[in-house]
């Protein structure tokens, strides 16, 4: 990984656009022989959130991917629904809930993640992944599903 990889794409705020974002990232990273599994999952979650919760009729979302020679992959997904404010905590929902686990997954796969606002009405959710050191038990990661099971005695 001696070169910087950059990808920027504007995609429709539809489920098809979210799937295209994931496919673009997989193709770009696979071409450069960079591990892409974690990045693909993070992009899928952030893009799905953008088209589900950040969608504004007639406005697209933007995907930016940057891989620096230092092996940090930064993923940014921007939408134009800023008025929803900060993201919720990434804790797990009730066991019966059908959704709400995406940000917990992003948190588990990323070294760090967050949001940026601006210029109005832009909201960007970003995540950074260390592609040289994929998730492993040695990094101190604990499966949030296992934590939930232990906490609630299931």
């Amino acid at each position: 990984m001696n070169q910087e990889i950059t990808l920027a794409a504007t995609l429709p705020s539809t489920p098809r656009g979210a799937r295209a974002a994931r496919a673009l990232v997989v193709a770009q990273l696979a071409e450069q022989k960079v591990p892409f599994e974690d990045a693909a999952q993070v992009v899928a979650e952030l893009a799905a959130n953008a088209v589900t919760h950040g969608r504004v009729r007639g406005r697209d979302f933007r995907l930016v991917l940057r891989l620096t020679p230092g092996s940090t992959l930064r993923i940014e997904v921007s939408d134009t629904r800023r008025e929803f404010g900060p993201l919720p905590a990434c804790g797990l929902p009730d066991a019966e809930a059908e959704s709400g686990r995406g940000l917990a997954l992003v948190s588990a796969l990323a070294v760090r993640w967050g949001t940026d606002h601006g210029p109005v009405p832009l909201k960007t959710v970003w995540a950074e992944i260390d592609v040289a050191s994929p998730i492993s038990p040695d990094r101190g990661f604990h499966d949030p599903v296992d934590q939930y099971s232990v906490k609630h005695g299931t």
Side-chain angles (χ1 to χ4, degrees):
M1 288 179 262
N2 294 332
Q3 64 183 32
E4 183 171 319
I5 298 172
T6 302
L7 168 73
T10 301
L11 300 155
S13 290
T14 63
R16 182 174 287 178
R19 286 189 301 273
R22 183 184 186 284
L24 282 169
V25 168
V26 168
Q28 180 74 31
L29 296 178
E31 180 180 310
Q32 300 297 324
K33 301 194 182 349
V34 174
F36 59 81
E37 293 82 6
D38 291 350
Q41 189 63 50
V42 168
V43 167
E45 294 298 335
L46 297 183
N49 283 349
V51 304
T52 302
H53 306 293
R55 183 170 189 242
V56 174
R57 182 179 219 121
R59 295 184 185 166
D60 298 331
F61 75 95
R62 184 164 176 82
L63 166 70
V64 175
L65 178 76
R66 288 188 193 93
L67 177 64
T68 60
S71 301
T72 297
L73 177 67
R74 183 173 173 101
I75 299 163
E76 299 176 359
V77 176
S78 303
D79 64 56
T80 55
R81 193 90 184 230
R82 181 177 178 174
E83 63 269 16
F84 280 126
L87 291 174
C90 62
L92 291 175
D94 291 335
E96 295 81 28
E98 294 182 12
S99 64
R101 293 168 183 83
L103 292 178
L105 181 60
V106 169
S107 180
L109 295 174
V111 174
R112 66 194 143 268
W113 69 281
T115 61
D116 293 328
H117 291 100
V120 173
L122 201 63
K123 172 184 74 213
T124 300
V125 182
W126 56 268
E128 293 180 348
I129 297 171
D130 182 0
V131 294
S133 178
I135 294 294
S136 73
D138 297 338
R139 280 186 46 194
F141 167 71
H142 300 285
D143 186 346
V145 174
D146 289 342
Q147 290 175 354
Y148 185 79
S149 297
V150 170
K151 182 178 178 183
H152 292 85
T154 57

